[in-house]
Each structure stands twice: as structure tokens, then as C-alpha cells.
Amino acid sequence: MNNPRKIIIDTDPGQDDAVAILLALGSPELEVLGITAVAGNVPLALTQKNCRIICELAGRPDIPVYSGAIRPLVRELVTAENVHGKTGLNGPELSDPTMPLQAQYAVDFIVETFMSEPENTVTLCVLGPLTNIALAMIREPKIIPRIAEIVLMGGGCFEGGNVTPAAEFNIYVDPHAAKTVFNAGVPITMFPLDVTHKALTTRKRVEEFRSMGTNVGIVTAELLDFFERFDEEKYGTDGGPLHDPNVIAWLLKPELYTGRHINVEIETASELTMGMTVADWWGVTDRPKNAFFVRDLDAEGFYNLLVERIGALCP
Ligand code: BDR
Ligand code: CA
């Protein structure tokens, strides 16, 4: 196998973030240099703790976890306990982590990593609001041309929003950070609701995790049981959309996805459409193409990959 691809996972767990982290830790093609927590689904004190819970669940207490931004750049923090529960990881019984939180600030870790690793060798996988990434770019703009790629879950176009009619949660929570990142000139691959709403946690798929019989398989099923209940009611589907693991699956099997390289701008002025990703799918403007917008996936292939890799985690 080639050298593993180096990644940093920036995240706000969240059940679907947790499954994304498990997928990364179960995949030898990826080397997770660190996990950086941000405030989002739940406040920072919980997201950083949840990152450590998941590393321990995967049997990887050696992964350094850093705590980052406690709030968005400009706006008040909006959280999503209505989707994820009070802890962010409601569903299974989970013990408090014993592995330490790193003393270094997540934003400093991101800057230091991009300045010390060879140019274009580290990919940023962003599963929450983009606050830490924007802060790192503002703190040290020299990192910008050194970032190989940013792969993120966020936004929506044809599918509308999930927190307001116009906006998806991750972009809505920190639209100013999102604007900074989308305008930075770094190659971006985005997984909007248009694709994640096609990755449904159907009953049959959830049962595949439970039937692994391993602790990690059972916990995954219980996380998805909880996450799914809310979205099933909301969308009237068998299962809810599984968002964040698509970011990691893309790095492993890009052939599962199709999309288009387009211009995406972030709305930060109108309260009504705050955080909307204005996606020029039809190419009706001359604005620069700044993102690969993923719109479709092979959902069976995606779940097969999840089952294979989460099944390979031993604990
Ligand atoms: C995104 O928001 C969070 O609730 C999920 O973890 C995902 O990153 C979906 O809109
Ligand atoms: Ca998330």
C-alpha cells in the first residue's frame, strides 16, 4: 500500500461525526494526525470530550485530541441537542474518557501542522462549523497554499436547509468562518444535504452494525438508533441521513460519488437566508469555481465500506 494519506479531522461530535471518526480510524489508508474539536452540535466542553470517547471506543487513545473555538467568529453559538441529545452522543451508554486532552489550542495545532509538514500533503476533513479552520487561516495565512485539500460536510442547494429553510447546520452556525474558507482559494470538496440525504440509515443497515457483535459495532448501531429517530419523523423515511462519514468515505472510495466543480458563495448579510450556500450548479455566473459539489452517491457501496471498516476495529 502507498503511504497513508495524512488528515486532520475537525469535528463537533455528534453521532454522525462519531461514525466518521470510526471510519477513519478503521482505515489503514489514512493517518489521523490529530482531531480538533469545535463548538457546534453541542458546546465545546462536550465535543472535545466526545472526540476522546470515540478514540477510546476505537481502541486509539494515542490519537491527539485538541480543543478549539468555543464559539463562532461573529454570531452566538447555536447548538443541536434536538437532533443529537444533551450529550451529543445520546443513545449508547458511554463511559467518560481517560485519555488526556492535549494542552495545545486546536487552532495552533492546525497552524503548526501545516507549517511543519511538507506542502500539500495534509488534508483537512471538516465535519462541523468551520470556525477552527477560519481562525487558523487568519492567524497564519501562510498555511493556505500548504493545505492539500479541504473536504467538508456542509451546505445544500436543491435540498434546501435543515436548520432554516435556506441553511444547513454547519454553515449556518458560523457563516463568516465558512465564507473565509470558501474564499481562501484552497481546493474544496463539499458534501451538502443533497448527497447526505441519500445516505439513509435504514433499519437493515443499522442492524448490520449491531450484528457485528463487537462493542464498537453495537455502539455504532445504538448511536444510529438515536440519530435516526429524530430524522425519520422529520423526513418520513426509513432511516435518517448519515452526513459526516461521507467526508471520510470520499478519501477512501471517491468512485462512490459524483458531483460538479462549481462556484459556491456563502450568505452572511441576510438574516432570512443566513448561511445559505448559493451554489451555481448551472454555471449562470462567471464567478470562480471554488468547490467540488457532490450530489450523488452509491449508498450501498457507502454502507458496505462502513461495515467493512468499522467491523475491522477490534474492541
Ligand atoms: C451536520 O450538522 C450536524 O448536526 C451533523 O453532525 C452534520 O455535521 C448536518 O447538517
Ligand atoms: Ca458534524
Side-chain angles (χ1 to χ4, degrees):
M1 197 195 302
N2 295 334
N3 284 341
R5 181 164 175 178
K6 293 180 202 167
I7 65 170
I8 294 174
I9 302 177
D10 187 77
T11 176
D12 62 337
Q15 292 89 347
D16 62 325
D17 303 71
V19 177
I21 294 169
L22 293 176
L23 176 60
L25 296 181
S27 296
E29 301 93 324
L30 302 176
E31 180 185 353
V32 182
L33 300 182
I35 300 181
T36 52
V38 67
N41 287 322
V42 285
L44 184 67
L46 289 170
T47 58
Q48 58 87 353
K49 180 175 155 190
N50 291 346
C51 290
R52 292 181 291 136
I53 289 175
I54 299 305
C55 289
E56 289 188 355
L57 174 68
R60 294 298 305 275
D62 56 302
I63 301 283
V65 172
Y66 303 83
S67 194
I70 199 159
R71 49 155 291 178
L73 297 186
V74 177
R75 291 166 66 83
E76 293 290 317
L77 177 65
V78 174
T79 52
E81 286 86 355
N82 59 326
V83 182
H84 299 272
K86 215 172 164 37
T87 69
L89 293 182
N90 280 44
E93 283 280 326
L94 295 164
S95 328
D96 280 352
T98 57
M99 64 181 274
L101 178 67
Q102 299 296 310
Q104 192 179 24
Y105 180 40
V107 175
D108 291 341
F109 165 73
I110 293 169
V111 169
E112 194 182 286
T113 303
F114 281 104
M115 293 311 289
S116 60
E117 292 286 338
E119 244 172 84
N120 295 321
T121 58
V122 180
T123 295
L124 267 176
C125 297
V126 190
L127 314 179
L130 286 142
T131 321
N132 285 342
I133 313 308
L135 284 171
M137 288 177 167
I138 292 165
R139 186 174 185 118
E140 181 47 275
K142 289 196 193 106
I143 68 168
I144 294 171
R146 304 179 67 88
I147 301 172
E149 187 182 355
I150 295 177
V151 186
L152 64 91
M153 190 281 139
C157 175
F158 304 95
E159 197 68 5
N162 62 356
V163 59
T164 73
E168 177 281 329
F169 180 81
N170 289 341
I171 307 293
Y172 178 76
V173 171
D174 199 339
H176 300 90
K179 196 180 187 75
T180 304
V181 172
F182 274 77
N183 289 347
V186 176
I188 291 177
T189 299
M190 65 186 282
F191 286 81
L193 299 176
D194 302 270
V195 63
T196 66
H197 278 187
K198 295 169 184 158
L200 294 173
T201 57
T202 62
R203 178 66 22 222
K204 182 169 167 282
R205 288 170 178 161
V206 173
E207 290 317 315
E208 277 197 62
F209 292 106
R210 206 182 325 271
S211 65
M212 283 172 189
T214 57
N215 185 39
V216 71
I218 293 165
V219 168
T220 302
E222 290 175 353
L223 287 168
L224 297 180
D225 278 342
F226 185 92
F227 192 48
E228 181 187 340
R229 256 198 302 275
F230 168 85
D231 280 322
E232 273 187 325
E233 258 175 55
K234 185 171 167 193
Y235 299 111
T237 47
D238 174 13
L242 187 55
H243 308 283
D244 294 340
N246 288 286
V247 166
I248 306 297
W250 162 258
L251 303 182
L252 301 168
K253 282 199 162 194
E255 64 274 19
L256 294 175
Y257 298 95
T258 54
R260 224 182 249 191
H261 204 217
I262 61 169
N263 173 266
V264 177
E265 301 292 332
I266 312 294
E267 176 63 82
T268 56
S270 150
E271 200 50 50
L272 183 64
T273 54
M274 184 63 70
M276 182 175 182
T277 45
V278 180
D280 187 6
W281 182 261
W282 301 113
V284 295
T285 72
D286 294 332
R287 295 195 284 252
K289 297 181 176 174
N290 58 346
F292 186 73
F293 183 106
V294 182
R295 193 168 169 193
D296 272 300
L297 90 158
D298 166 0
E300 280 309 310
F302 167 66
Y303 276 94
N304 289 342
L305 179 68
L306 278 171
V307 167
E308 177 193 307
R309 299 309 171 87
I310 291 180
L313 287 168
C314 292

